Each structure stands twice: as structure tokens, then as C-alpha cells.
Amino acid sequence: MENHGRGSGSRPEVGGDGPLDQRPPGPLPYEGVWRFTAPAVDASVPQARHAVRDLLVRQRVPASDDLVQGLLLIVSELVTNAVRHAALLSPTLAVEVAVGAEWVRVSVEDNHPYRPTALEADHGQTGGRGLLLVREVTRESGGVCDVEHTASGGKVIWAALPLTPGLG
């Protein structure tokens, strides 16, 4: 995976720092935006998961084990979807991790224009529930997720979860 770390960066549209925020000026040591690119192949799924986990550890992001496991599950599902459904039109995908003082956002971008939808649970079906799982993990964590079109005609699917410092 190719890493394009960019340090401090944009924030997702979830909550934010209010006027009562007592943080010191400037970003915290773990805040920033990092982007990894990879081929849209099966081997990129575990590589993306490991890259995100290693980044969170390296940056000393104060995340609980449950939050990290949820983020890694989301990354796995989103990269798997990009590999399975977008690889023909998008041979490369990008994984971005943005960490703020109070949130972590993971996103997967590809160049396929199709906007996916979460399928309803069909107990007779063995697949097709990845986005449903992403939505549920995000909701249980108190976060938000969405799909947006990119300027190049592709899409980015993202999930932002509250950063609850824990026993990590």
C-alpha cells in the first residue's frame, strides 16, 4: 500500500469543537489525515486493515479496543466492496483515515460511479450485507456514515465514529 500522510486536515461534518472547548491551540499529536492507495484486489483487504491498525497505534490515537475493532471491521467491509463491485472500472482504491480531537473517520474511495445501497438482511443469503454491517457498527458507536460522489465521477464511502479515549 502506498501511504500519502498529510498531517492535520479537514474534519468530518459531525459535531465539532464548540465554544466551550478548552483544548490548547493547535492540533493534538495524534490528529491528522493519512491516505493509502492500493490495487483493487483481494490482498488489499487485509493490507488496508493492517495499515489502519498500525497507523492508529503509531499515532497513539486514544481509542478503545472496541472502537478500533469497529473501525477495522468497517475498513474491511468497505475495501471488500470496492474490490468486488468497483474493480472493473476502478483498478485502484484509496483508504483515508482522518483523526480529530474527538472523532475518527475512515473512508474508501474508488472511481466507479455506482452508488451502493445497504441490502436488507436475507437470512438465506451468504453475502451482500457489508454496508448494513457498516451502518450498524457506526450507529452503535454513535457515529455517522454516508456515500458521496467525487469530482472525478467516482464515490467515497465514509464512517466517522466518536473518539472515546479508553483502555486501548
Side-chain angles (χ1 to χ4, degrees):
M1 293 196 111
E2 191 174 333
N3 179 0
H4 306 281
R6 295 190 298 211
S8 285
S10 61
R11 297 172 181 260
E13 298 296 322
V14 293
D17 298 330
L20 300 177
D21 185 14
Q22 300 299 316
R23 291 184 355 168
L28 294 170
Y30 58 82
E31 288 183 84
V33 178
W34 296 267
R35 187 173 177 90
F36 307 93
T37 57
V41 297
D42 288 337
S44 293
V45 176
Q47 289 174 351
R49 189 174 51 245
H50 293 302
V52 170
R53 184 196 63 220
D54 293 347
L55 172 70
L56 296 172
V57 169
R58 185 175 65 247
Q59 292 304 121
R60 294 189 173 105
V61 176
S64 68
D65 287 337
D66 286 344
L67 178 67
V68 171
Q69 292 306 313
L71 287 167
L72 297 179
L73 177 61
I74 290 168
V75 168
S76 292
E77 292 298 331
L78 295 182
V79 172
T80 297
N81 282 351
V83 168
R84 286 187 182 162
H85 304 294
L88 186 61
L89 294 178
S90 182
T92 303
L93 58 90
V95 177
E96 186 172 278
V97 180
V99 183
E102 299 176 2
W103 50 265
V104 179
R105 176 184 174 192
V106 293
S107 61
V108 174
E109 181 178 337
D110 63 57
N111 289 320
H112 195 291
Y114 173 70
R115 182 180 170 113
T117 57
L119 299 176
E120 294 304 318
D122 176 357
H123 298 292
Q125 192 176 15
T126 59
R129 288 177 275 200
L131 288 179
L132 200 63
L133 186 57
V134 167
R135 190 170 60 193
E136 188 63 21
V137 168
T138 302
R139 185 189 64 76
E140 285 180 4
S141 298
V144 293
C145 60
D146 202 3
V147 180
E148 300 171 358
H149 289 286
T150 63
S152 64
K155 67 184 166 300
V156 60
I157 306 175
W158 59 268
L161 307 181
L163 184 58
T164 52
L167 304 174

